[in-house]
Amino acid sequence: MNLKLEDNGQVVLLIVKEERLDAHNSEHLKQELGRLFGEGKTKIVVDLKEVRFIDSSGLGALVSGFKNASARQAALKLSSLQSQVKSMFELTRLHRVFDIYTTVDEAIEAF
């Protein structure tokens, strides 16, 4: 999975540079989120700007990250969802669980 990581010392921005987040690559995202929280990072934004398709495995990786954040008094926010991905969050009602922002800047400012 192609991920880009930017850490400004306060907030970690994890950019998913894939068109699909599915069973083929979601485990890598799950492990990366686990590693970041394990290192003590407490504010993470996942930018999904390039993701055009997400399946239950992709949603599961993000839910795992959310649970990991909650267990560590940390926060995980999502940004830049394309309409198809946003529809999946609404269909599964996960838009009520995650803090979702239109842009990365809005997500970072929300911390």
Side-chain angles (χ1 to χ4, degrees), residues 1 3 14 16 20-35 37 44 46 48 54-69 76 78 89 94 98:
M1 169 174 247
L3 298 172
L14 188 59
V16 178
R20 298 177 62 90
L21 183 53
D22 56 21
H24 186 69
N25 58 14
S26 60
E27 184 63 27
H28 185 107
L29 176 61
K30 180 180 174 180
Q31 290 176 358
E32 186 67 9
L33 287 170
R35 182 187 68 79
F37 287 121
I44 298 177
V46 178
L48 297 171
I54 189 168
D55 72 359
S56 59
S57 298
L59 292 172
L62 292 169
V63 168
S64 175
F66 179 82
K67 286 182 175 180
N68 208 335
L76 175 67
L78 307 178
F89 276 85
L94 285 173
F98 286 95

Side-chain angles (χ1 to χ4, degrees), residues 36-101:
L36 290 168
F37 287 121
E39 289 178 355
K41 306 296 183 188
T42 58
K43 298 175 181 176
I44 298 177
V45 173
V46 178
D47 181 6
L48 297 171
K49 178 176 50 187
E50 296 185 24
V51 177
R52 295 173 39 177
F53 173 81
I54 189 168
D55 72 359
S56 59
S57 298
L59 292 172
L62 292 169
V63 168
S64 175
F66 179 82
K67 286 182 175 180
N68 208 335
S70 297
R72 299 172 190 264
Q73 310 291 322
L76 175 67
K77 299 181 185 299
L78 307 178
S79 73
S80 311
L81 276 61
Q82 293 201 19
S83 61
Q84 302 94 323
V85 173
K86 187 175 180 182
S87 293
M88 282 298 290
F89 276 85
E90 291 171 352
L91 184 67
T92 57
R93 301 198 186 277
L94 285 173
H95 67 293
R96 296 180 180 180
V97 175
F98 286 95
D99 292 331
I100 300 173
Y101 297 88

